[in-house]
Amino acid sequence: MPIRRGFLKLAGSAALGALLGAHPFRRGQAVPTAPAPTGSGVITLVLCGDVMTGRGIDQILPHPGSPRLCEEYMKSAMGYVELAEQVNGRISRPVTFEYIWGDALGVLRDVQPDVHIVNLETSVTTSDDCVPKGINYRMHPENIPCIAAAGIDCCTLANNHVLDWGDAGLVETLETLERSRVLFAGAGRDAHEASAPAVFDVPGKGRIVVYAYGLATSGIPIAWIARASSPGINLLPDLRDDTVRTVADRIEASKQPGDLTVVSIHWGPNWGYAIPAAQRQFARSLMEVAGVDVVHGHSSHHPKAIEIHRGKPILYGCGDFLTDYEGIAGHEEYRNDLVLMYVLDLRISDSRVEHVRMVPFRLRRFQLRRASARDVQWLWKTLDRECRVLGRRVEMAEDILRLVVH
């Protein structure tokens, strides 16, 4: 089925387009099979971390759901709107579906990615079956056009909030995404669907295959694992070698020549820059044993280091991309109001990465705005410091960050 590309066509900067290396848009299709790619060129992916359009953000969109929360300190989702307004001023409500993406829409227009992938960390449901876990995210299904507004092709769902409103909430989430023609991976009505990849055919370039997994280290309850006849998520038991082999077997069973394979993983705690040795070994083994081309990590509330292994990118933690955390005190040293959009160019011929560019934004009034020069410099120094630990450097070119990949 054709993928809807519904983001707002804003006038973009010619300079930004040149800096990002904009190219003609190739419309992707979700199909079971596709011929191997021919010719030369690159496949461009846009990867973002956690997109949390529930709770406070849901309340400012055109169709807010029930604001009821089950949290100990906040009983109404409107409380998060009020916190944000106390810091940065009133948000005129309701906003449009495009509003929350702000300046990111112009960047997307210039980049024109072949596939745009995010980790959607909310349940999209009217279910009132609140799971007692402390924090519960939901967005009203009628607000799903906000996902199409950013041209999002694939939502990974193997995370610790997609089942916040029970099995019924997950099933409604899947149904809502299907109606919107947005593909998903990492959750399903049963184990078979939860483990299935999202598959995109990019005409003239080949297939992009996206698998999604979660780990309990990110706060996912073990009970949420999908089973033969019950809904849930695609949960990894650990990061051991036999788990790598299981993932490899799954990929090999459906892999076609020329496939570009992305594995998206929700793993690790919310805060801290350290990359555990087990994560590094697992990510590298995915490339060595399973033939994975891109590892898309998330769960951390801030960006983490990037590694290049055998010419393939490992993004250990993309950080949050869109949240309602504005005005919440704590962990200010990580600047989680600053977020990144990752633009990856990979060669069609061998899937090796040519460029990794990061576009900085700042969240303000639940909207993505281009980061100031001072904020871009803070992100550059922070990411360069962390990437050097893994043998890479980050350069700053005006308001774009580039990983030195060669």
Side-chain angles (χ1 to χ4, degrees):
M1 64 180 72
I3 297 304
R4 175 181 298 173
R5 292 231 173 223
F7 60 81
L8 188 64
K9 300 294 184 182
L10 299 182
S13 159
L16 176 63
L19 186 59
L20 288 172
H23 57 83
F25 168 61
R26 302 297 186 98
R27 183 176 297 274
Q29 294 181 321
V31 295
T33 60
T38 59
S40 60
V42 298
I43 285 178
T44 298
L45 305 179
V46 164
L47 303 179
C48 299
D50 300 338
V51 169
M52 309 178 81
T53 51
R55 214 168 61 174
I57 290 178
D58 178 64
Q59 294 301 299
I60 70 168
L61 289 170
H63 306 285
S66 168
R68 184 180 79 90
L69 298 178
C70 304
E71 301 176 12
E72 183 176 356
Y73 299 106
M74 190 74 76
K75 300 304 180 184
S76 171
M78 281 301 301
Y80 290 100
V81 179
E82 292 165 4
L83 283 175
E85 291 181 330
Q86 288 171 14
V87 174
N88 288 315
R90 179 170 173 74
I91 303 170
S92 297
R93 304 185 292 274
V95 301
T96 65
F97 293 121
E98 293 82 11
Y99 167 86
I100 54 178
W101 306 107
D103 293 336
L105 294 175
V107 176
L108 287 165
R109 176 196 175 279
D110 286 327
V111 173
Q112 294 288 299
D114 292 303
V115 173
H116 182 186
I117 305 168
V118 306
N119 178 56
L120 182 62
E121 201 164 1
T122 187
S123 184
V124 185
T125 183
T126 57
S127 169
D128 214 33
D129 184 16
C130 184
V131 176
K133 58 185 286 287
I135 297 176
N136 301 75
Y137 275 83
R138 64 176 165 179
M139 178 177 74
H140 195 284
E142 291 186 21
N143 282 330
I144 197 65
C146 74
I147 299 301
I152 294 170
D153 300 305
C154 180
C155 292
T156 64
L157 302 177
N159 57 60
N160 56 311
H161 286 295
V162 75
L163 269 153
D164 277 358
W165 297 87
D167 289 356
L170 171 59
V171 171
E172 188 173 12
T173 300
L174 304 179
E175 293 172 347
T176 303
L177 289 169
E178 287 169 340
R179 285 195 300 272
S180 299
R181 300 167 71 186
V182 175
L183 297 196
F184 58 83
R189 299 166 182 85
D190 53 37
H192 177 74
E193 185 175 44
S195 63
V199 180
F200 299 88
D201 173 46
V202 182
K205 296 188 178 184
R207 298 201 319 169
I208 300 172
V209 185
V210 183
Y211 293 84
Y213 296 89
L215 274 170
T217 54
S218 66
I220 300 171
I222 298 296
W224 284 12
I225 188 170
R227 303 189 183 279
S229 58
S230 61
I233 70 168
N234 197 22
L235 190 65
L236 293 173
D238 50 48
L239 298 177
R240 294 165 56 180
D241 290 344
D242 54 350
T243 302
V244 173
R245 187 67 255 170
T246 299
V247 174
D249 290 344
R250 174 68 185 171
I251 293 173
E252 289 170 4
S254 58
K255 190 166 188 176
Q256 297 183 15
D259 280 359
L260 190 153
T261 305
V262 179
V263 168
S264 187
I265 314 179
H266 201 65
W267 57 0
N270 295 147
W271 306 104
Y273 292 108
I275 310 295
Q279 283 190 6
R280 289 194 70 187
Q281 181 59 44
F282 187 80
R284 289 177 163 210
S285 295
L286 285 176
M287 292 174 169
E288 295 167 2
V289 179
V292 171
D293 299 299
V294 178
V295 174
H296 171 219
H298 34 82
S299 180
S300 59
H301 285 328
H302 54 84
K304 300 179 75 170
I306 303 171
E307 182 175 14
I308 304 296
H309 182 62
R310 296 188 173 183
K312 308 297 180 70
I314 302 171
L315 284 60
Y316 284 103
C318 290
D320 294 328
F321 192 63
L322 189 63
T323 74
D324 66 351
Y325 296 160
E326 197 172 338
I328 299 175
H331 301 288
E332 283 82 2
E333 67 273 23
Y334 293 103
R335 292 297 309 272
N336 71 312
D337 61 321
L338 301 180
V339 305
L340 293 174
M341 175 190 293
Y342 297 79
V343 182
L344 277 59
D345 291 326
L346 298 106
R347 295 199 301 249
I348 293 175
S349 58
D350 57 10
S351 299
R352 285 178 172 262
V353 67
E354 281 288 297
H355 305 104
V356 177
R357 291 153 292 175
M358 294 156 279
V359 186
F361 300 92
R362 185 184 179 196
L363 278 165
R364 190 171 184 272
R365 297 181 185 172
F366 293 171
Q367 185 181 53
L368 292 164
R369 308 302 301 182
R370 292 303 292 269
S372 69
R374 183 175 181 180
D375 287 339
V376 173
Q377 188 162 65
W378 186 92
L379 279 167
W380 166 57
K381 289 182 178 179
T382 301
L383 280 176
D384 183 61
R385 180 193 71 211
E386 297 304 318
C387 287
R388 283 177 184 269
V389 176
L390 303 185
R392 295 289 159 179
R393 295 183 295 108
V394 175
E395 297 177 338
M396 182 171 62
E398 297 183 10
D399 56 352
I400 302 293
L401 306 181
R402 296 176 181 269
L403 185 76
V404 179
V405 300
H406 301 296

